[in-house]
Amino acid sequence: MEWDLLFFLIFAIITVAAAVFVVASKEIVHSVMYLALTFIGVAIIFFFLSAEYVAIIQILIYVGAVSVLMLFGIMLTKRRLTGGERI
Amino acid sequence: MDLYSFTEGIVRWLVGIISYFVDWLGFHGFAGWIESPGVIQFLTIFGVALIVFIVGFLIAITMIWQERKTLGRLMDRRGAMVVGPAGYFQNIADGLKTFLKEIIIPEKADKKGYNWAPVIIIGSSILLIGLIPMSDRFFVCDIDGGLIFIFAVFSITPFAILIGGWASNNKYTLIGGMRSAAQLISYEVPLLLSLVGVVILTGSLNLGEIVHAQQESVWFVIPQFIGFIVFLITIVAEVERIPFDLPEAEAELVEGWWTEYGGMRFGLLMLAEYFRGYAGAAVAVLLFLGGWSGPILPPEIWFLIKVFIVFFVFIWIRGSLTRVRIDQILNIGWKRLIPLSMVNIVIAVVIKSMGWL
């Protein structure tokens, strides 16, 4: 029983599915949520390659800064929700 | 005798009993698979994580009780008195009460974001507990760069807070989420800069090696006093306690970004806040106050004593000071604390190059 291979397959499937949902979801904030999940999955795959420092910096910069920057960019611009109500 | 080998002994004993019983039933191949080293290693890691989580949970509950009693004494009242010895079981009664409440989801809320945000926050707060070593023999993982990993996990929370504030479909939660994200992001800069002095003096990012370097010389609170003060202020802002309590201002915003969360979600978010408080106090102890070093008593007891003393300082600040305005918070962060942490880095470089430590 190869534990490493099993867990790598689980996390790789999660990462690829999240990357597909980034493109496919209708609501734009959901896209940013799936993008953050993709970044976390990539960091876990870096852990499997025993590159711990790269994985930690990936979480610190991409999940902690880039996703929040995209959220601010979405929320500070005028747009319409899918229901038609402007927020 | 560290935690890992202790747990491995218990797991081997249990697996031996189970495999003997399965072998007696007649499943010989399954009994052999249970006793293979991979399965035993997996169960051991699971058991170690479970033990450390239970210990952290008990510490967080004790911290809630300590805050209630100390804050009561600061306000000339007695705090919780009725349930259990000195009111210690009041938190468990409150937990049972929130567990029995109905789960209410607002009608026009965004269901996916509303359900995901507390999951991310509680999960990352519980992950923080597993990264903190309590002594040389009581830890889960001992990686190089564990110090940065703790603050990487801290930096996930503003994202989840923004999502939760937006998904509740409420003006006040949206304002609270925006304020919270602005405060957390602007205070991560002096927080990480105030740690650089300690890392320069030690030459390592491993928490165990930092504590060993303090045992050989002096506690780093003496050469790095400015860094210690800046770190305390920023960690209070990072776990959103009272002087920097703008995201949950009860007077202006109803309850900040978790206004719409009720029942068990509210209880778990409350618990996650104290998990983060425990992590902040523990990092302050490990970096500046000598970690688990001390005479006579076992090292874990010393670590817990220091953590509760630092948390008492947090409660004291909460009982004494008032709330700061949002523009004052950002001015303090960007114009005062970042130059102070730069001065602290210069002091650390001078001490290291002169060879005084």
Side-chain angles (χ1 to χ4, degrees):
Chain A
M1 192 68 193
E2 289 278 342
W3 292 103
D4 279 355
L5 184 67
L6 178 72
F7 283 110
F8 171 77
L9 279 178
I10 291 170
F11 288 121
I13 287 169
I14 287 175
T15 308
V16 173
V20 168
F21 275 118
V22 170
V23 187
S25 57
K26 289 220 171 20
E27 185 73 53
I28 197 165
V29 178
H30 292 176
S31 294
V32 182
M33 282 165 56
Y34 287 122
L35 189 66
L37 183 62
T38 311
F39 288 150
I40 292 176
V42 170
I44 289 172
I45 289 172
F46 275 132
F47 268 116
F48 274 106
L49 300 173
S50 69
E52 290 149 355
Y53 189 77
V54 183
I56 291 166
I57 296 301
Q58 170 96 15
I59 290 177
L60 185 68
I61 290 175
Y62 279 89
V63 183
V66 172
S67 312
V68 179
L69 185 73
M70 287 185 174
L71 273 182
F72 269 118
I74 289 167
M75 288 180 186
L76 294 177
T77 49
K78 280 188 181 180
R79 56 187 189 86
R80 289 186 180 275
L81 282 176
T82 48
E85 184 182 349
R86 197 163 60 80
I87 201 166
Chain B
M1 189 68 183
D2 58 345
L3 184 65
Y4 189 86
S5 55
F6 172 74
T7 317
E8 195 174 22
I10 292 179
V11 165
R12 279 187 191 281
W13 179 68
L14 284 174
V15 162
I17 291 175
I18 293 171
S19 74
Y20 178 80
F21 181 67
V22 170
D23 203 40
W24 177 72
L25 284 178
F27 302 103
H28 301 290
F30 187 63
W33 179 78
I34 277 184
E35 280 182 320
S36 65
V39 178
I40 285 186
Q41 192 190 13
F42 179 80
L43 288 175
T44 306
I45 293 171
F46 187 79
V48 169
L50 197 68
I51 288 173
V52 170
F53 168 69
I54 289 171
V55 170
F57 184 82
L58 289 176
I59 291 172
I61 281 187
T62 314
M63 276 180 169
I64 298 178
W65 174 76
Q66 182 197 4
E67 174 152 21
R68 284 183 164 190
K69 299 293 279 190
T70 317
L71 209 57
R73 287 296 171 187
L74 286 171
M75 295 173 180
D76 274 348
R77 40 187 190 87
R78 289 201 185 99
M81 289 285 289
V82 178
V83 189
Y88 184 77
F89 295 142
Q90 183 71 48
N91 308 318
I92 299 167
D94 286 347
L96 281 175
K97 186 193 74 174
T98 55
F99 192 72
L100 296 172
K101 294 283 183 186
E102 185 188 0
I103 295 176
I104 300 171
I105 300 180
E107 187 186 353
K108 288 195 173 180
D110 181 57
K111 300 283 187 298
K112 205 172 285 184
Y114 183 84
N115 290 324
W116 268 44
V119 170
I120 297 171
I121 290 173
I122 294 158
S124 64
S125 305
I126 289 173
L127 177 60
L128 280 172
I129 292 176
L131 298 173
I132 292 168
M134 277 178 71
S135 75
D136 271 337
R137 54 193 179 178
F138 196 92
F139 58 87
V140 177
C141 65
D142 189 20
I143 53 171
D144 294 338
L147 179 60
I148 294 189
F149 196 19
I150 288 178
F151 291 103
V153 175
F154 257 116
S155 73
I156 296 177
T157 41
F159 172 76
I161 286 174
L162 260 176
I163 291 280
W166 173 83
S168 301
N169 204 353
N170 180 344
K171 278 179 280 196
Y172 301 108
T173 57
L174 186 63
I175 294 172
M178 285 292 200
R179 279 182 178 184
S180 178
Q183 172 183 323
L184 291 181
I185 287 175
S186 59
Y187 271 79
E188 265 170 22
V189 182
L191 179 70
L192 286 168
L193 281 178
S194 63
L195 307 176
V196 171
V198 174
V199 176
I200 285 173
L201 289 180
T202 313
S204 164
L205 285 169
N206 189 337
L207 287 165
E209 288 190 20
I210 289 173
V211 174
H212 288 313
Q214 292 179 60
Q215 284 170 348
E216 287 164 9
S217 57
V218 293
W219 292 2
F220 285 151
V221 68
I222 298 166
Q224 295 284 304
F225 188 71
I226 300 174
F228 179 63
I229 299 296
V230 171
F231 182 81
L232 274 190
I233 295 172
T234 47
I235 204 72
V236 167
E238 193 76 16
V239 301
E240 290 177 4
R241 299 190 62 82
I242 273 278
F244 304 103
D245 199 23
L246 256 296
E248 300 152 22
E250 298 96 356
E252 313 139 29
L253 315 171
V254 185
E255 188 55 31
W257 61 272
W258 66 30
T259 300
E260 301 286 351
Y261 288 102
M264 198 59 206
R265 286 194 184 92
F266 176 78
L268 282 175
L269 285 171
M270 197 84 186
L271 197 66
E273 194 181 340
Y274 282 90
F275 281 150
R276 294 217 299 275
Y278 162 57
V283 171
V285 167
L286 287 169
L287 294 184
F288 295 100
L289 296 177
W292 50 79
S293 52
I296 303 172
L297 291 172
E300 292 89 358
I301 305 290
W302 269 112
F303 181 80
L304 286 183
I305 288 172
K306 289 175 184 176
V307 164
F308 283 123
I309 288 174
V310 171
F311 199 72
F312 169 73
V313 173
F314 288 174
I315 299 166
W316 192 11
I317 292 171
R318 175 184 173 171
S320 314
L321 296 179
T322 53
R323 203 174 284 136
V324 193
R325 280 205 322 265
I326 185 75
D327 54 345
Q328 291 169 335
I329 281 186
L330 296 180
N331 279 336
I332 289 170
W334 289 100
K335 295 180 185 174
R336 305 284 189 279
L337 293 179
I338 291 181
L340 275 178
S341 46
M342 295 288 185
V343 169
N344 181 53
I345 292 175
V346 171
I347 291 173
V349 169
V350 167
I351 289 174
K352 188 73 179 174
S353 57
M354 292 291 182
W356 290 337
L357 271 183

